Amino acid sequence: MRHPRDTMFLSTADVIAIVRRLGVAACLDRMARRIEADFRRWPEFTKQARVGHHSDTGVIELMPISDARAYSFKYVNGHPGNPRHGLPTVMAFGVLADMETGQPVLLSELTLTTALRTAATSAMAARFLARPDSRTMALIGNGAQSEFQALAFHHLLGVDRLRLFDTEPQATAKLVRNLANVPGMTLEVCSSVAEAVRGADIVTTVTADKANATVVTPDMIAPGMHLNAVGGDCPGKTELHADVLRAGPVFVEFEPQSRIEGEIQQMPESFACTELWRVILGEAEGRRDPAQVTIFDSVGFALEDFSALHVMQDAARELGLGRKLDLIARSDDPRDLFGLIGGATSSRAAA
């Protein structure tokens, strides 16, 4: 018989300690490796599109997934106006549970972890879709996710030249400050999207506005380019002109979710796309030749959080971080839950 286990709690401070002690590059590498390994087990997972509740200012979503051993979910929001209130645009936490008993075994922050797993997923996908000789990347949108994207492509794929643009110059200035001392990385600040994209092998869009935007237009596309569209991640929020999606094959994480939230929400149901796991397993073709344009329509999927939670759980155990959390009410007799409060109730009645 399996005995109840305590719930491990990883705070923001714990995750920061993990990243500082292992290093950003090592964390990104661990994430990318685990995400790819789990994508290779795609048929083993019970999957569904995330459940979203929308308001005029943003969205709150739950992202569940499970295999035969473990279940996870992420709570995550997306509120582009939050910086005006001193809050992040995206905030998240996650739970990992044992499928046999339902016992929550991990409760963890996922705001910082999501940034790491999103960047790791982008780089992992680009390894299958971008030209192997890609060294220059345009980074459109220089907010909270941008440094992670830059470092993932630098450390995992060898990108050494970044061409930067954001509609808010202070965002670009922030990125330049944070990455100015990264060895082997050249940063070029550009005055427009068109200037940043010109000459880029990879174009990563990670903008925050909740709008059907056309950040990248067909006239900016060059042969051999790989587009990593990260910012369009909810209904009514896109970054690529519809004709950009017709420039080459489009790859997605989980098609039922991407049809609702991704760039392909602009397209008719007949528009063809390919789930990335099929490329990873060799069941579908990725990039055919160096001149082809490829598009990764990334919205973030629960499997990536499942992977990230396992990576952080393993790292915390390795480094002796985290603490036990008294999350689940337990009594000596599991059938006598009321017995935990019976004495308190009697005392109140007597008073």
Side-chain angles (χ1 to χ4, degrees):
M1 173 182 283
R2 301 179 70 173
H3 296 288
R5 293 174 291 180
D6 292 304
T7 304
M8 175 190 285
F9 174 60
L10 292 182
S11 66
T12 300
D14 290 322
V15 172
I16 290 172
I18 289 171
V19 176
R20 286 179 174 172
R21 290 172 64 176
L22 295 180
V24 174
C27 287
L28 288 166
D29 182 61
R30 289 188 185 200
M31 290 273 185
R33 289 176 183 274
R34 177 65 195 241
I35 291 167
E36 180 181 337
D38 284 337
F39 265 72
R40 290 183 181 277
R41 300 193 299 121
W42 186 269
E44 299 177 23
F45 288 90
T46 299
K47 302 169 285 290
Q48 68 180 79
R50 54 189 164 201
V51 180
H53 287 224
H54 297 265
S55 69
D56 291 339
T57 57
V59 62
I60 296 175
E61 298 176 319
L62 290 180
M63 301 172 62
I65 195 167
S66 67
D67 64 7
R69 297 183 60 189
Y71 167 94
S72 74
F73 77 82
K74 178 167 77 173
Y75 165 101
V76 62
N77 77 301
H79 287 73
N82 269 4
R84 296 194 299 270
H85 308 294
L87 294 170
T89 299
V90 176
M91 297 176 282
F93 68 88
V95 169
L96 192 61
D98 177 22
M99 279 293 286
E100 182 177 338
T101 65
Q103 164 73 26
V105 297
L106 177 67
L107 172 63
S108 178
E109 87 79 44
L110 276 183
T111 306
L112 177 57
T113 303
T114 292
L116 288 163
R117 74 84 157 133
T118 302
T121 301
S122 292
M124 185 272 291
R127 190 164 67 81
F128 289 92
L129 301 176
R131 297 194 330 270
D133 62 348
S134 296
R135 294 294 178 268
T136 299
M137 182 169 81
L139 188 50
I140 312 302
N142 300 157
Q145 173 67 216
S146 58
E147 289 91 347
F148 298 91
Q149 292 283 331
L151 290 171
F153 279 88
H154 178 62
H155 290 303
L156 304 184
L157 271 77
V159 167
D160 55 17
R161 182 183 177 209
L162 290 176
R163 296 174 59 78
L164 312 172
F165 176 75
D166 195 291
T167 55
E168 298 182 2
Q170 62 268 32
T172 304
K174 175 268 304 179
L175 186 151
V176 170
R177 284 196 309 273
N178 286 337
L179 300 185
N181 296 319
V182 175
M185 182 181 287
T186 300
L187 305 175
E188 301 176 8
V189 178
C190 300
S191 60
S192 66
V193 174
E195 181 186 349
V197 169
R198 194 174 304 123
D201 305 307
I202 298 171
V203 175
T204 290
T205 55
V206 61
T207 60
D209 286 343
K210 186 182 178 184
N212 286 125
T214 52
V215 177
V216 177
T217 52
D219 56 295
M220 302 177 188
I221 305 303
M225 188 176 281
H226 172 63
L227 288 93
N228 176 43
V230 179
D233 57 1
C234 69
K237 185 174 187 290
T238 57
E239 297 177 311
L240 307 183
H241 188 285
D243 285 342
V244 171
L245 300 173
R246 299 184 177 97
V250 175
F251 301 88
V252 300
E253 290 137 312
F254 183 53
E255 184 176 348
Q257 180 172 295
S258 298
R259 292 282 180 189
I260 298 169
E261 300 188 337
E263 295 295 328
I264 62 172
Q265 67 183 273
Q266 309 174 67
M267 312 305 283
E269 285 295 322
S270 58
F271 181 80
C273 63
T274 302
E275 289 185 334
L276 183 63
W277 70 273
R278 298 186 62 227
V279 177
I280 294 172
L281 287 181
E283 294 185 6
E285 195 172 39
R287 172 175 290 274
R288 292 195 305 270
D289 58 68
Q292 187 180 40
V293 173
T294 53
I295 301 131
F296 180 42
D297 181 5
S298 173
V299 299
F301 184 54
L303 180 55
E304 296 149 24
D305 303 309
F306 179 97
S307 305
L309 286 166
H310 278 92
V311 168
M312 287 303 179
Q313 181 186 52
D314 291 345
R317 289 170 174 167
E318 174 187 331
L319 300 173
L321 295 168
R323 64 180 177 87
K324 293 179 180 179
L325 187 66
D326 186 16
L327 183 65
I328 303 301
R330 295 193 184 95
S331 64
D332 292 337
D333 180 356
R335 295 167 296 183
D336 185 15
L337 187 61
F338 186 78
L340 293 174
I341 61 170
T345 304
S346 299
S347 300
R348 180 175 233 181

